[in-house]
Amino acid sequence: MSNNIRLCCPCHFGLESVLKYEIQKIGGTDLKVSDGKISFTGGENIIARANICLSTAERVLIELIEFKATTFEELFQGVRAVELERYIGPNDAFPVKGHSLSSALHSVPDCQSIIKKAAVERLKSKYGIEWFDESGPTVQIKFSILKDVVTIYLDTSGVGLHKRGYRRNSNAAPIKETLAAGIIDLARVRPDSVVCDPFCGSGTLLIEAALKALRIAPGINRRFAAEKWSTLSDKIWREERKRAIDNVDKSAEFHGIGADIDDAAVALTLDNAHKAGIKSRITVEQADISKFVQPMDSIVICNPPYGERLLELREAEDIYRKMGKVLGKGGSRQSYIISPHEEFEKFFGEEAHKRRKLYNGMIKCQLYMYF
């Protein structure tokens, strides 16, 4: 088994430190952290383990090569030099997609076709065949060209890692599971924590908190693109799933408490919690924020509604004022609140002990931490 595979995991901006800790914990080595991604080294088993276990990574990519290219010829030769046959079998499909920023080679469709052509030429010479029917499993080639530096990847995940499988339904403004998991880590949720979300929506924050507390790997119940590759052994996936199942801590005393003004959200949270296998660990009720009572020794983690139009903005500010009256400000009643409102603290009534800049989709937010 090869142990010198270079891997790369993109993540939400602001969660690099959380993902770094997760990668070290699963055995990744030689980490290199940059904005919105971390590259590291591991064996084939780490490809499987990263997909199954990482809660804040967006996907797991094999990083094949990095080189400079300002002409299509340089791009072609650079890709042709890559050992693609190590992962792409003679029948596999190998589509190409990617992006280019601040580079001489700025036309993405042109770059796609050059990379595809180079891949075909490389594989032709290795397999001694002229035509690829691409009827087998998909090995997605991805490229990034930034300031004339080309990086070629293979995507081992397929569907993004935020798709855990429990949230087939969601409400209007759900928080992404990977971002929720990062906030859970920043709030230092433990196996015996009591976590509350008075705006539970589709239950993402409560479910991610439960998964973390019970040490349930987020990808334990789903499949990944690289499981179908002929070039990676089935055995590693079986072994890593078993390892993840053995790691679950059923003795954890975690409890989640959810509330939402919308009874459809309450039903949705319970349904999603059931799909995630943690329904017995949470209680949810229909209630307005002004009626919320935060228990002692608990952590509130929430994504309150915010308005983009003036009227909605006033309503959101009114909600922040109500939150300020009922939520703890630290000590035995901690609060971690994500909001894009620059003046959240003014309406909440107290300055956060710490802030962390995060992006919820394309929206710049702050995580306001009271601990």
Side-chain angles (χ1 to χ4, degrees), residues 5 12 25 46 60 82 109 116 120 129 185 211 243 249 266 285 290 292 299 307 314 317 323 331 339 354 370-371:
I5 302 166
H12 280 267
K25 212 161 121 187
I46 297 292
V60 180
V82 182
K116 180 73 177 186
V120 166
I129 51 179
D185 264 350
L211 296 180
R243 182 182 177 276
D249 178 12
V266 172
E285 63 171 2
S290 54
F292 180 75
I299 309 168
R314 298 268 160 76
E317 288 163 2
M323 287 167 66
S339 172
K354 199 173 172 186
Y370 299 86
F371 50 84

Side-chain angles (χ1 to χ4, degrees), residues 314 316-326 347-348:
R314 298 268 160 76
E317 288 163 2
D318 188 42
I319 288 169
Y320 300 157
R321 283 193 194 94
K322 288 177 182 172
M323 287 167 66
K325 290 181 182 142
V326 296
F347 297 100
F348 189 67

Side-chain angles (χ1 to χ4, degrees), residues 189-209:
V189 168
R190 301 281 181 253
D192 61 350
S193 292
V194 175
V195 172
C196 310
D197 182 356
F199 305 96
C200 63
S202 51
T204 309
L205 284 158
L206 289 174
I207 293 167
E208 290 296 326

Side-chain angles (χ1 to χ4, degrees), residues 1 58 76 96 124 213 245 262 267 280 283 308 327 352 354:
M1 189 185 287
E58 293 302 311
F76 180 87
V96 178
K124 263 183 175 177
I245 290 163
D262 179 6
S280 63
T283 49
E308 290 175 13
L327 300 191
K354 199 173 172 186

Side-chain angles (χ1 to χ4, degrees), residues 29-313:
T29 57
D30 189 21
L31 277 70
K32 181 185 164 202
V33 181
S34 45
D35 282 349
K37 67 174 186 184
I38 297 179
S39 55
F40 59 101
T41 299
E44 289 181 353
N45 64 317
I46 297 292
I47 295 175
R49 193 178 300 170
N51 275 297
I52 293 165
C53 298
L54 294 179
S55 67
T56 54
E58 293 302 311
R59 51 187 63 247
V60 180
L61 306 170
I62 296 171
E63 194 173 294
L64 293 174
I65 194 169
E66 195 173 272
F67 60 93
K68 200 168 175 7
T70 53
T71 67
F72 287 131
E73 181 59 22
E74 286 171 339
L75 180 62
F76 180 87
Q77 296 301 345
V79 174
R80 196 177 176 181
V82 182
E83 291 181 351
L84 294 170
E85 64 281 359
R86 185 173 168 186
Y87 299 104
I88 302 174
N91 299 312
D92 296 344
F94 48 103
V96 178
K97 66 179 177 187
H99 60 267
S100 175
L101 289 168
S102 315
S103 299
L105 300 175
H106 54 80
S107 164
V108 170
D110 286 345
C111 292
Q112 268 175 304
S113 64
I114 295 291
I115 291 167
K116 180 73 177 186
K117 194 174 164 192
V120 166
E121 290 304 317
R122 169 80 191 196
L123 295 170
K124 263 183 175 177
S125 69
K126 292 295 162 184
Y127 291 126
I129 51 179
E130 281 299 307
W131 174 254
F132 294 90
D133 65 7
E134 301 196 44
S135 57
T138 298
V139 184
Q140 177 73 60
I141 298 174
K142 291 198 164 211
F143 68 90
S144 154
I145 308 176
L146 179 61
K147 294 179 180 166
D148 299 324
V149 175
V150 179
T151 315
I152 303 293
Y153 304 101
L154 299 179
D155 180 4
T156 72
S157 302
V159 175
L161 294 184
H162 69 284
K163 298 274 192 187
R164 320 287 207 213
Y166 65 76
R167 199 174 78 181
R168 293 186 192 97
N169 309 308
S170 63
N171 59 343
I175 190 166
K176 212 170 171 187
E177 295 88 332
T178 41
L179 177 58
I183 294 170
I184 300 304
D185 264 350
L186 292 168
R188 295 190 162 85
V189 168
R190 301 281 181 253
D192 61 350
S193 292
V194 175
V195 172
C196 310
D197 182 356
F199 305 96
C200 63
S202 51
T204 309
L205 284 158
L206 289 174
I207 293 167
E208 290 296 326
L211 296 180
K212 188 75 66 174
L214 297 162
R215 294 214 305 257
I216 298 171
I220 210 164
N221 290 321
R222 58 155 286 187
R223 299 285 159 185
F224 307 94
E227 286 188 69
K228 294 180 179 163
W229 297 1
S230 57
T231 49
L232 285 181
S233 157
D234 292 349
K235 190 172 165 230
I236 61 163
W237 295 94
R238 284 197 303 276
E239 284 172 356
E240 289 304 330
R241 274 212 172 77
K242 184 181 183 306
R243 182 182 177 276
I245 290 163
D246 292 346
N247 198 37
V248 174
D249 178 12
K250 288 182 181 156
S251 68
E253 292 174 3
F254 172 87
H255 185 62
I257 300 168
D260 202 289
I261 195 166
D262 179 6
D263 34 358
V266 172
L268 197 52
T269 294
L270 289 169
D271 188 41
N272 289 339
H274 173 68
K275 287 188 188 117
I278 54 90
K279 191 179 175 185
S280 63
R281 300 302 187 123
I282 68 167
T283 49
V284 193
E285 63 171 2
Q286 192 257 331
D288 179 71
I289 181 63
S290 54
K291 305 276 193 303
F292 180 75
V293 179
Q294 183 178 353
M296 294 298 280
D297 300 313
S298 70
I299 309 168
V300 161
I301 306 174
C302 65
N303 173 30
Y306 53 85
E308 290 175 13
R309 294 190 296 272
L310 197 59
L311 184 66
E312 290 172 351
L313 199 59

